[in-house]
């Protein structure tokens, strides 16, 4: 649901392909060693084969390392965000502040199962969702007031620790409308499993209407 998550998926497939090739090659060599009764006396010692099996793994590791480093730098890049959202972790709920607007902040609690609508998502839905515009760079600042939490949306490729006394930041872009669910990914106490995150991605014109209605209600 975001360009970064697409790149993470591509990197996963790329690395898995390399691992499969290595596994098949080693399995084939082991199979041949088990059932081959002949010995190549020139392979028992030799600088050439030792150079090959030293350099080849290093080259393979470079094919994994360079795409990985590229992705790490891309994930830390902040590209002139349109909106800044601040997420504050508490035991056991999240509170949010839209830093670009005055006094636009709210708490977000999980809806208990006995209060959930028929079309609600058990242990995932919240009373106040984060509303964000699609196809725009969003910066998120994350902190906590008590213990370490972790603000995570798997489908967007976002996972960032919320540490008391520290402000962490990352950015993301949502390329489609919809609901995106996440949960706290750092064990933070008894109700760690009950502080979900819900982002509702909507087109920009609807987002402007939502912001206007929120500001008018203040």
């Amino acid at each position: 649901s975001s360009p970064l998550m697409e790149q993470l998926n591509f990197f996963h497939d790329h690395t898995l392909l390399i691992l499969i090739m290595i596994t098949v090659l080693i399995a084939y060599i082991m199979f041949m060693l088990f059932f081959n009764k002949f010995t190549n006396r020139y392979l028992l010692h030799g600088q050439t084969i030792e150079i090959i099996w030293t350099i080849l793994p290093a080259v393979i590791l470079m094919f994994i390392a360079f795409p990985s480093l590229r992705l790490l730098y891309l994930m830390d890049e902040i590209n002139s965000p349109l909106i800044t959202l601040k997420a504050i972790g508490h035991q056991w709920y999240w509170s949010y502040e839209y830093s670009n607007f005055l006094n636009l902040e709210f708490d977000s609690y999980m809806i208990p199962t006995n209060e959930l609508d028929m079309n609600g998502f058990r242990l995932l839905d919240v009373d106040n969702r984060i509303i964000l515009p699609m196809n725009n760079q969003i910066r998120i600042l994350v902190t906590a007031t008590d213990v370490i939490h972790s603000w995570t949306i798997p489908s967007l490729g976002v996972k960032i620790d919320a540490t008391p006394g520290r402000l962490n930041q990352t950015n993301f872009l949502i390329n489609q409308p919809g609901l995106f669910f996440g949960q706290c990914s750092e064990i933070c106490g008894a109700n760690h499993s009950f502080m979900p995150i819900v982002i509702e991605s909507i087109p920009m014109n609807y987002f402007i209407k939502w912001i206007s209605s929120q500001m008018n209600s203040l």
Side-chain angles (χ1 to χ4, degrees):
S1 301
S2 74
L4 272 179
M5 193 58 198
E6 287 178 13
Q7 291 296 315
L8 285 168
N9 277 330
F10 292 150
F11 176 67
H12 169 268
D13 297 342
H14 165 77
T15 310
L16 199 62
L17 189 63
I18 293 173
L19 289 175
I20 289 170
M21 289 166 58
I22 294 170
T23 306
V24 169
L25 177 64
I26 299 301
Y28 172 75
I29 292 171
M30 289 178 67
F31 181 81
M32 295 305 292
L33 283 172
F34 282 141
F35 297 101
N36 189 1
K37 296 179 182 178
F38 300 104
T39 303
N40 186 337
R41 61 194 178 99
Y42 295 108
L43 278 181
L44 294 177
H45 57 85
Q47 284 187 332
T48 308
I49 190 67
E50 289 179 7
I51 290 171
I52 291 170
W53 71 40
T54 302
I55 292 177
L56 196 61
V59 172
I60 292 170
L61 284 175
M62 284 168 58
F63 275 100
I64 297 174
F66 285 131
S68 173
L69 287 170
R70 172 181 162 272
L71 257 179
L72 280 173
Y73 279 101
L74 276 175
M75 291 173 76
D76 278 341
E77 192 72 29
I78 304 296
N79 301 313
S80 54
L82 179 80
I83 290 173
T84 298
L85 176 71
K86 186 177 182 183
I88 305 167
H90 308 269
Q91 286 183 312
W92 289 272
Y93 65 96
W94 294 96
S95 57
Y96 298 100
E97 300 173 6
Y98 286 77
S99 303
N100 305 84
F101 308 98
L102 288 175
N103 300 322
L104 184 49
E105 54 189 55
F106 54 83
D107 296 333
S108 181
Y109 289 88
M110 185 193 78
I111 301 175
T113 307
N114 58 342
E115 298 176 14
L116 205 59
D117 294 333
M118 288 296 291
N119 58 351
F121 296 91
R122 180 178 171 271
L123 301 184
L124 283 178
D125 231 332
V126 294
D127 54 358
N128 290 311
R129 295 170 174 171
I130 309 163
I131 310 295
L132 291 174
M134 57 183 280
N135 292 325
N136 286 284
Q137 285 288 340
I138 311 294
R139 173 173 57 187
I140 179 158
L141 306 173
V142 183
T143 187
T145 56
D146 34 47
V147 298
I148 297 175
H149 302 275
S150 187
W151 198 88
T152 307
I153 304 285
S155 55
L156 299 179
V158 178
K159 182 178 188 294
I160 181 166
D161 281 351
T163 310
R166 184 183 177 91
L167 206 59
N168 293 327
Q169 78 168 352
T170 189
N171 77 306
F172 56 89
L173 182 146
I174 308 171
N175 57 18
Q176 60 185 3
L179 291 177
F180 304 97
F181 296 93
Q183 290 177 300
C184 177
S185 297
E186 189 74 50
I187 296 175
C188 57
N191 292 332
H192 157 68
S193 306
F194 309 115
M195 47 183 302
I197 303 153
V198 183
I199 291 179
E200 186 173 343
S201 171
I202 57 177
M204 176 55 82
N205 55 335
Y206 290 106
F207 178 75
I208 293 171
K209 289 178 183 176
W210 178 79
I211 284 290
S212 302
S213 66
Q214 292 296 311
M215 299 302 290
N216 291 333
S217 64
L218 292 176

